[in-house]
Amino acid sequence: MDRDLPRGWGMNRTLLLGLWAFSAACSGAATSSAPAERAAPAPVKEGVVKLAEASWAFVTVSPVRADASSAAIQAPARVAFRDGALSRLVAPLAGRVVSVHVRTGDTVRPGDALVTLDCPEAAAARTAVATATAALREAQVAFDREARMLEQGVTTERERLSAETRLAEARAELARAQASVGFVGTGSGTTVVLRAPLAGTVLSRSAAEGIAVQPGGDVLVEVGDPSALWVVADVFERDLPRVREGARARVTLPSVHAPLEGKVESVGAVVAGGSRTAPVRITLDAPEQGLRPGMFGRVRIDAPDASLTLPVEAVLLRNGKESVVYVQQGAGTFVRRPVVVAQPVEGRVQVIEGLSPGDPVVTRGALLLDGAADQLL
């Protein structure tokens, strides 16, 4: 049966089987009376391989051990704007662009005018505020009059309560009108001015004079603060339990000569369905000149404790999804065991499940055992 093997993990199957066959042939030339003992490893049952004594030299067994230096997580990373450091402005109402006040690359301050729009609905929204304000003033006068008349015994409590209800309704209507006009900003008539919500740089601009716009449509201007950046690492789901807020991290970017030091600020609460990763946000210790959103690199995050590790060549990938190792059980007998492992870090891989400290695992020649078993099972 075919087996899928991870790139760079294990020895070349053809080379190992060739070495094993060569060993068996040499042993057969030396002792012709027992050629079967020096032939292929004999499978006992599914997942168990008994290796001939003449082939033991091609297999190295080492106990699995805890390794603090390899207790780290590696993941792809990218430079991104921090929360609140990026703003994309769209039209609040249907209308037309009258003028554009900025170009891509311009530096802006909070409140600077970016785009001026002509939106007929803006006039209606502003009129609604004026109408609601007048209605509230009238309701307040009516309520005050009813309250004085009740004190003088000229009116009834029912009339006063009715005036109080109308006053509350007028206040609610003014609040609704003010909320609506908040989308169009201050001003008069049909003019709406989109202003910069933060200090930063104009990253992109699609607005052009004369074009029609719709509420919530295309982004007209994008503004970002290039000084408010962090690094976002996409950490696999199986590694997330080992990531702690405040853990030290080292970021390597191809465009930056020296690694950047930082710490984990937050761990994403949602795992992406396709990649099975969650974002881990890293704050750098010191600002770095030349960093730009969208840069890609890698990050190494320190894990809290030492963990069981193996050389990457000890772990095989079967059927494209199951990671296995071979554990020694007696002289020349090896049992295939499924394991859960993390991503390789500097030539070693952390074992999350499946092994205990001291288990004797084949660290060299695992592919030879797996290949022989595949031939004879």
Side-chain angles (χ1 to χ4, degrees), residues 297-312:
R298 292 196 64 81
V299 64
R300 174 185 171 122
I301 303 172
D302 291 343
D305 302 309
S307 56
L308 299 180
T309 64
L310 286 170
V312 292

Side-chain angles (χ1 to χ4, degrees), residues 126-136 174:
R126 288 163 176 152
T127 300
V129 172
T131 302
T133 301
L136 176 61
L174 177 59

Side-chain angles (χ1 to χ4, degrees), residues 1 3 43-49 318 336 372-377:
M1 64 184 77
R3 302 294 184 222
V44 179
K45 60 181 181 179
E46 173 67 32
V48 178
V49 177
R318 296 174 60 86
R336 188 170 62 227
D374 285 348
Q375 286 185 330
L376 299 177
L377 281 177

Side-chain angles (χ1 to χ4, degrees), residues 158-319:
R158 180 178 179 180
E159 293 297 328
R160 190 199 68 82
L161 290 175
S162 179
E164 185 178 9
T165 300
R166 290 192 294 271
L167 176 61
E169 292 173 347
R171 286 171 176 166
E173 179 60 23
L174 177 59
R176 185 198 64 78
Q178 289 174 334
S180 297
V181 83
F183 288 101
V184 301
T186 59
S188 60
T190 61
T191 299
V192 175
V193 180
L194 301 183
R195 300 183 180 277
L198 51 87
T201 301
V202 177
L203 305 177
S204 65
R205 191 202 82 176
S206 65
E209 292 183 8
I211 66 171
V213 294
Q214 295 296 326
D218 295 337
V219 175
L220 300 179
V221 179
E222 186 178 47
V223 178
D225 181 358
S227 66
L229 302 174
W230 56 16
V231 176
V232 180
D234 297 314
V235 177
F236 283 104
E237 178 181 12
R238 60 188 177 186
D239 291 333
L240 288 173
R242 302 172 56 222
V243 180
R244 299 287 186 272
E245 292 186 4
R248 297 301 302 169
R250 171 170 290 190
V251 180
T252 304
L253 300 171
S255 56
V256 180
H257 298 298
L260 307 177
E261 301 293 333
K263 66 178 181 179
V264 174
E265 182 164 318
S266 65
V267 180
V270 178
V271 174
S275 63
R276 306 308 302 170
T277 62
V280 174
R281 301 169 187 88
I282 297 167
T283 300
L284 299 177
D285 292 343
E288 176 68 22
Q289 296 295 329
L291 281 188
R292 288 178 172 81
M295 286 181 170
F296 283 91
R298 292 196 64 81
V299 64
R300 174 185 171 122
I301 303 172
D302 291 343
D305 302 309
S307 56
L308 299 180
T309 64
L310 286 170
V312 292
E313 58 267 24
V315 183
L316 306 179
L317 187 64
R318 296 174 60 86
N319 302 322

Side-chain angles (χ1 to χ4, degrees), residues 4-372:
D4 296 325
L5 301 174
R7 182 179 302 174
W9 289 24
M11 302 167 63
N12 181 275
R13 169 173 285 186
T14 303
L15 177 61
L16 284 173
L17 291 177
L19 290 173
W20 166 75
F22 175 75
S23 172
C26 292
S27 300
T31 307
S32 59
S33 60
E37 294 182 0
R38 299 173 180 84
V44 179
K45 60 181 181 179
E46 173 67 32
V48 178
V49 177
K50 189 170 181 62
L51 190 64
E53 184 175 355
S55 299
W56 291 1
F58 297 101
V59 174
T60 300
V61 177
S62 302
V64 63
R65 58 184 176 84
D67 183 3
S69 63
S70 295
I73 299 159
Q74 287 198 0
R78 63 189 186 279
V79 180
F81 284 107
R82 296 179 64 90
D83 291 345
L86 177 65
S87 180
R88 297 182 173 94
L89 285 84
V90 299
L93 300 171
R96 189 172 299 277
V97 176
V98 175
S99 58
V100 182
H101 309 289
V102 293
R103 296 174 298 179
T104 301
D106 285 353
T107 300
V108 296
R109 297 171 298 178
D112 284 353
L114 304 177
V115 180
T116 299
L117 307 174
D118 180 56
C119 302
E121 294 181 34
R126 288 163 176 152
T127 300
V129 172
T131 302
T133 301
L136 176 61
R137 188 162 47 245
E138 182 180 345
Q140 183 68 58
V141 171
F143 172 75
D144 292 342
R145 183 175 61 252
E146 290 294 334
R148 289 195 303 270
M149 292 174 64
L150 181 63
E151 291 178 356
Q152 297 170 3
V154 178
T155 188
T156 64
E157 178 66 17
R158 180 178 179 180
E159 293 297 328
R160 190 199 68 82
L161 290 175
S162 179
E164 185 178 9
T165 300
R166 290 192 294 271
L167 176 61
E169 292 173 347
R171 286 171 176 166
E173 179 60 23
L174 177 59
R176 185 198 64 78
Q178 289 174 334
S180 297
V181 83
F183 288 101
V184 301
T186 59
S188 60
T190 61
T191 299
V192 175
V193 180
L194 301 183
R195 300 183 180 277
L198 51 87
T201 301
V202 177
L203 305 177
S204 65
R205 191 202 82 176
S206 65
E209 292 183 8
I211 66 171
V213 294
Q214 295 296 326
D218 295 337
V219 175
L220 300 179
V221 179
E222 186 178 47
V223 178
D225 181 358
S227 66
L229 302 174
W230 56 16
V231 176
V232 180
D234 297 314
V235 177
F236 283 104
E237 178 181 12
R238 60 188 177 186
D239 291 333
L240 288 173
R242 302 172 56 222
V243 180
R244 299 287 186 272
E245 292 186 4
R248 297 301 302 169
R250 171 170 290 190
V251 180
T252 304
L253 300 171
S255 56
V256 180
H257 298 298
L260 307 177
E261 301 293 333
K263 66 178 181 179
V264 174
E265 182 164 318
S266 65
V267 180
V270 178
V271 174
S275 63
R276 306 308 302 170
T277 62
V280 174
R281 301 169 187 88
I282 297 167
T283 300
L284 299 177
D285 292 343
E288 176 68 22
Q289 296 295 329
L291 281 188
R292 288 178 172 81
M295 286 181 170
F296 283 91
R298 292 196 64 81
V299 64
R300 174 185 171 122
I301 303 172
D302 291 343
D305 302 309
S307 56
L308 299 180
T309 64
L310 286 170
V312 292
E313 58 267 24
V315 183
L316 306 179
L317 187 64
R318 296 174 60 86
N319 302 322
K321 59 181 180 180
E322 181 185 40
S323 297
V324 300
V325 298
Y326 278 88
V327 180
Q328 185 177 37
Q329 289 190 349
T333 301
F334 304 89
V335 178
R336 188 170 62 227
R337 183 182 298 179
V339 292
V340 178
V341 296
Q343 292 296 301
V345 177
E346 297 180 358
R348 297 190 70 82
V349 62
Q350 184 219 2
V351 181
I352 300 174
E353 294 180 8
L355 292 174
S356 300
D359 282 346
V361 175
V362 176
T363 55
R364 184 177 66 88
L367 189 56
L368 171 64
L369 299 178
D370 200 53

